[in-house]
Amino acid sequence: MGRKVTLACATLNQWALDFDGNRERILESILEAKDLGATFRTGPELEICGYSCEDHFYESDTFLHCWEVLLELLTAPLCKDMIIDVGMPVMHKNVAYNCRVVFLNQKILVIRPKMRMCDDGNYRESRWFSAWSKVRQTEDYFLPRMISKFTGQTTVPFGDAVISTRDTCIGFEICEELWSPASTHISMALDGVEIICNSSGSYAELRKAYVSVELVKSATLKAGGCYVFSNMRGCDGQRVYFGGCSCIALNGSILSRAKQFSLQDVEVTAATIDLEDIRAYRNQIRSFAHLAAQSPSYPRVVIDFSLSLEQDATLPIASSIEWAYLRPEEEIAKGPACWLWDYLRRSGQGGFFLPLSGGVDSSSVAIIVFSMCRMVVDTVQRGDTTVLSDVRRLLGDPEYTPRTPSDLCNRILVTCYMGTENSSKETKQRAAALAASIGSYHMHIVIDKAITAIIEIFSGVTGLFPKFAVNGGCPRQNVALQNIQARLRMVLSYLFAQLMLWARNRPGGLLVLGSANVDEALRGYMTKYDCSSADINPIGGISKTDLRRFLNYAKAQFNIPVIGDIVDAPPTAELEPLQDGRLAQTDEEDMGMTYAELSQFGKLRKIEKCGPFSMYCKLVQTWSGSCSPREVAEKVKHFFRCYAINRHKMTVLTPAYHAEKYSPDDNRYDHRPFLYRANWSWQFRAIDKQLEQHVPVKRSNTGNVTHSNKKVDNSSRMRAGITV
Ligand SMILES: Nc1ncnc2c1ncn2[C@@H]1O[C@H](COP(=O)(O)OP(=O)(O)OC[C@H]2O[C@@H]([n+]3cccc(C(=O)O)c3)[C@H](O)[C@@H]2O)[C@@H](O)[C@H]1O
Ligand SMILES: Nc1ncnc2c1ncn2[C@@H]1O[C@H](COP(=O)(O)OP(=O)(O)OP(=O)(O)O)[C@@H](O)[C@H]1O
Ligand SMILES: NC(=O)CC[C@H](N)C(=O)O
């Protein structure tokens, strides 16, 4: 009597359209699952072609190559005697579906299409796929001839079906179906499906990891059963980083899990469970059992195969584990570092070039690269040959083995302080001290000559000599003189990135790293096409507040004392002349708002979907202790004016690691116009009306809200189009 089954789920670092690499990683995961004694293996969503193929899902080539890879998997001797569930797009009756293809011993058992599309955040699934909406129904799928020829099958069931083995019943959910309020696992569980697999392409965001874990736990807590959640991990060619955390849960407890961030391309998570534990758990929840007794049946694909062994009495079963979540600062140390590694090794470039100002932002980027080097060295020391061969290939040295993170950092990262007469010696020293601590190949250059030469070209033609404000220039002249410094840094960065490896006698070029944070982008406090325009930016989705937390963490964790000085210094662009050798310009003064306020504006605008009027209404309450309603109105208007004037800068934002829900990334995430009426006349009038009628609200002892003046006029809300 078999009752114990060993299940495995794979966490794979796939790459869109890399059919060779993806196949290798799938095979590797099958091999590892076998070694762990599993008789069932599932993997991430769309694992054969990679999740982020996007408009390549319109191309028939993508479908064809997936079938070709599937054929190789079907024929691989390794895949014998194991139920294998892989993800790929399938076209059925001229409609494309995001599917699982399940096979055993060279026969396809079922093709299960996704039933709920995901279209929020960075997801656009319904652009390429349709949801299968025929609940508990299947149709005949006519297999491509190359598959038929091999399996001997002409048609296979396509649709909402489950698989009955001799010992249990297996059902399939695909990613968003778990997130949906009408999750398919509920009706499957009620119909006696004991093992539910979910293949996912779920990307990481700061503070989000708990979501999938809680969903998996609650799914099995409520309905019992075993849930096998398999997620992608890594950068498969986009701004997002898929967040790993694959896991196996039983009756509300997690039994085993994969890491969230790692350089390991293939990680297999397995657990042995006792099927009787599911039956006992479900049957004791009487309300569940009564409901189950009335539930409609799923079409079952019945197979003569069992997941368990005849004699398994002595096989140990998995016990539950506690899930340890990373803090946001740890997520920043690891997530962007792994994303950089994937990007670097896959781009074919030789390393990174970073303009290092000694401020919070560029220093954070340098430390993230250092963190990447730490992870690389650690992974190599644990015997990962893929990572070692990637290091050797990208450094062009087949003999090299990295011994310390700073040794590797010296070969991978070139940092450069680009001073002008407006730079202070403190920032220059901080940049040098940080570079020395992490081991980067550091340079210090002075760019005044180039600035003067450019200004002379302008003066030669116009006969005019722009001046800084402190020397009597108007705001236009003042900003132009700042921006030319900033833009020249970008030009020089690309020059050095192209030629530094030539100068160091190595082949290839460097990727330019950008370091504008999410808040600066939102407010537009940056020069268009300056050093914020780079090849990639690991912190473009991270707020200044979180970067400070990260730096404080890195100071202790990586033992870099100079980080203390970097965090304590007031953020400054150093683009205006120093006054008596000291700083004349700070970011927060220049911006007319603090970074903390900016974070709040950002969250309200994007996450809480506030326009100017709603933002005012919310903040007038939140900030009631520190600001008068008039001050709140001014701050909100100032933010929206700056946002509108500068939104065009978002269209050329450097591709950045997606990390924050309030990201203003115009390319994929935050779809907005970039030519706004910046005086927001209608919207600001609504704020003004509300301000005039502002009635202080008192909170009674019972917590009930009472208005001190009974006559509340809602006309401005009405006029602003809001029903009250
Ligand atoms: N609606 C629109 N659609 C498309 N493009 C538009 C546009 N309006 C202006 N533009 C273009 O954008 C340009 C204006 O943008 P931009 O050149 O960035 O110029 P702008 O935003 O005026 O200046 C940059 C600001 O960022 C500050 N800042 C702070 C911190 C650091 C740095 C730094 O550079 O390191 C700079 C600097 O002090 C200054 O206040 C115009 O010259 C025009 O070409
Ligand atoms: N003196 C400098 N040397 C090298 N790079 C610089 C220098 N000043 C600015 N940069 C580059 O230009 C980017 C944008 O400059 P900005 O003055 O806006 O700095 P920031 O965004 O506040 O960043 P940081 O905190 O790194 O100074 C910096 O992140 C940095 O990469
Ligand atoms: N690929 C998906 O279906 C993603 C679903 C899910 N909403 C997530 O955030 O991860």
Side-chain angles (χ1 to χ4, degrees), residues 290-418:
H290 297 322
L291 204 57
Q294 312 158 27
S295 83
S297 259
Y298 273 81
R300 277 170 157 75
V301 175
V302 181
I303 56 168
D304 185 17
F305 180 77
S306 49
L307 295 183
S308 53
L309 297 172
E310 275 296 310
Q311 297 304 327
D312 58 12
T314 55
L315 193 62
I317 55 168
S319 40
S320 66
I321 55 164
E322 272 306 306
W323 196 290
Y325 292 105
L326 298 177
R327 287 174 289 149
E329 49 272 36
E330 293 171 302
E331 292 188 306
I332 296 174
K334 295 204 160 135
C338 292
W339 183 77
L340 282 182
W341 176 248
D342 283 343
Y343 199 98
L344 178 62
R345 70 196 177 113
R346 287 173 172 168
S347 69
Q349 301 301 298
F352 299 117
F353 179 88
L354 172 68
L356 181 62
S357 70
V360 163
D361 298 328
S362 48
S363 299
S364 298
V365 172
I367 295 161
I368 286 170
V369 176
F370 181 64
S371 174
M372 180 196 91
C373 294
R374 288 170 52 98
M375 292 177 84
V376 170
V377 171
D378 182 56
T379 315
V380 167
Q381 283 173 353
R382 277 189 288 105
D384 191 313
T385 50
T386 311
V387 174
L388 180 61
S389 71
D390 282 337
V391 171
R392 290 177 171 170
R393 184 177 43 79
L394 74 92
L395 295 179
D397 182 349
E399 305 294 316
Y400 177 66
T401 300
R403 303 273 169 226
T404 64
S406 34
D407 167 48
L408 178 62
C409 195
N410 184 269
R411 296 181 184 228
I412 276 190
L413 177 65
V414 175
T415 49
C416 179
Y417 184 86
M418 303 179 178

Side-chain angles (χ1 to χ4, degrees), residues 13-33:
N13 190 329
Q14 300 300 67
W15 186 11
L17 302 170
D18 174 21
F19 292 98
D20 283 307
N22 294 348
R23 183 205 49 193
E24 284 314 304
R25 286 179 283 268
I26 292 171
L27 284 170
E28 169 68 31
S29 72
I30 294 170
L31 181 66
E32 286 185 29

Side-chain angles (χ1 to χ4, degrees), residues 75 201 260 279 303 335 359-360 447-448 480 510 520 615 625 655 701 718:
T75 53
Q260 184 179 0
R279 294 157 194 164
I303 56 168
V360 163
I447 64 171
D448 289 317
L510 301 173
E520 287 171 335
M615 192 182 290
N701 287 344
M718 307 266 215

Side-chain angles (χ1 to χ4, degrees), residues 226-243:
C226 179
Y227 204 92
V228 189
F229 178 77
S230 175
N231 196 17
M232 204 73 100
R233 183 170 59 206
C235 158
D236 75 345
Q238 259 296 357
R239 290 163 174 79
V240 297
Y241 184 90
F242 292 101

